[in-house]
Amino acid sequence: MSDCIFCKIARGEISSRKVYEDDELFAFHDINPVAPVHFMLIPRLHVASLMEADSGHTALLGRMLLLAPKLAKEQGLDNGFRIVINTGKGGGQEVFHLHIHIIGGGHIPPMVRRS
Ligand code: 5GP
Ligand code: ZN
């Protein structure tokens, strides 16, 4: 997708603080972090969201999930991290190129609070 911001980041047309790259995947720090460590892992392939993923993406999604803990550890998150995949407008997704947020360091509050 020529006008997709994350495609442009993966192609190096928009600068980012790179965490990792290979022929299929790219990871970079979030421009507006919500925690001391906050980076995103994306496929180079443009897939708009998890709702557009299908069985043809099984290996790609598996690679992303298995790479995430390795990158998290390299970023100093020895004690764990949170993964978030905002999906669709109803899931709060703002950039429509599938991405995994990897978040950690400091205090990570419970995801869901029950009062
Ligand atoms: P979403 O809400 O779609 O799951 O998250 C999109 C994320 O992309 C946000 O956390 C936002 O800060 C980040 N973001 C948006 N534009 C850019 C950019 O140009 N560079 C970087 N590094 N992050 C971006
Ligand atoms: Zn894209």
Side-chain angles (χ1 to χ4, degrees):
M1 278 264 289
S2 56
D3 60 345
C4 167
I5 190 166
F6 283 3
C7 281
K8 287 182 178 174
I9 286 175
R11 288 196 297 259
E13 293 168 15
I14 292 178
S15 64
S16 66
R17 288 174 55 222
K18 185 175 79 179
V19 169
Y20 174 86
E21 72 174 321
D22 64 31
D23 56 344
E24 278 188 320
L25 305 177
F26 193 89
F28 57 102
H29 291 281
D30 197 295
I31 204 167
N32 191 15
V34 299
V37 177
H38 182 178
F39 63 97
M40 277 169 299
L41 177 58
I42 66 172
R44 289 188 186 276
L45 180 71
H46 181 86
V47 179
S49 85
L50 209 48
M51 287 192 293
E52 280 72 35
D54 61 30
S55 59
H57 302 114
T58 303
L60 185 65
L61 292 170
R63 277 206 66 216
M64 291 175 76
L65 284 177
L66 292 174
L67 181 60
K70 292 185 182 144
L71 298 183
K73 196 165 186 194
E74 283 173 21
Q75 293 300 312
L77 301 177
D78 295 316
N79 203 27
F81 55 89
R82 174 169 292 164
I83 273 183
V84 173
I85 307 178
N86 294 325
T87 303
K89 286 211 185 301
Q93 186 175 1
E94 292 180 342
V95 176
F96 282 80
H97 179 127
L98 174 63
H99 52 280
I100 296 179
H101 293 262
I102 297 153
I103 297 164
H107 174 65
I108 301 296
M111 186 77 180
V112 177
R113 283 189 195 280
R114 294 178 181 84
S115 52

